[in-house]
Amino acid sequence: MSMMIRPPHSVLLVVGREDFVPPTTFGGATCVATPDCVAVAVIDVTQSPTRIALSPSPGHDLRKLGEFWIESEGLVSIRDIFGREHDTMGVPPGLTLVTIWGDRDDAPRDVAVQITR
């Protein structure tokens, strides 16, 4: 299931722990990660809302933007930079593979977060 959101500052965080460390810079990439957080730069909030989906299957008609292993305590969630949770999925504790899919390479409007183990 997908939903439309308007994240502040056009950044989404995919986190696996309550006490996570977000990346400090994008370095020109659309998505970057630390051991427990993936940051995704999305379309500017003033231009359009962002459609997000969190699921174990990849997004349709989307391109792979990045693949990262993050540490999880049993849940993976999509949050904005203020910590507001937009979606969550239960996973086994430990390392979880997070694949980010988007409708374009830079600042996507449609983002699918695929969670596999």
Side-chain angles (χ1 to χ4, degrees):
M1 183 174 103
S2 66
M3 66 180 72
M4 299 296 281
I5 63 170
R6 287 190 182 268
H9 303 290
S10 302
V11 174
L12 293 176
L13 302 175
V14 180
V15 302
R17 301 171 4 124
E18 278 302 312
D19 290 326
F20 61 92
V21 177
T24 57
T25 182
F26 280 91
T30 300
C31 24
V32 293
T34 62
D36 53 14
C37 177
V38 178
V40 183
V42 297
I43 193 159
D44 187 302
V45 68
T46 61
Q47 293 179 345
S48 169
T50 299
R51 180 185 314 275
I52 61 167
L54 177 64
S55 74
S57 59
H60 298 290
D61 299 324
L62 299 176
R63 47 185 89 151
K64 186 187 286 189
L65 302 179
E67 190 172 77
F68 309 92
W69 287 95
I70 64 169
E71 186 179 327
S72 170
E73 296 172 331
L75 287 176
V76 172
S77 64
I78 298 176
R79 299 181 184 187
D80 61 34
I81 63 166
F82 295 123
R84 286 184 292 242
E85 193 170 85
H86 296 282
D87 204 355
T88 189
M89 174 185 246
V91 297
L95 290 178
T96 298
L97 182 61
V98 175
T99 306
I100 307 297
W101 300 85
D103 62 333
R104 55 192 223 193
D105 293 327
D106 185 37
R109 178 182 319 226
D110 292 329
V111 175
V113 179
Q114 179 184 2
I115 305 298
T116 53
R117 177 129 168 134

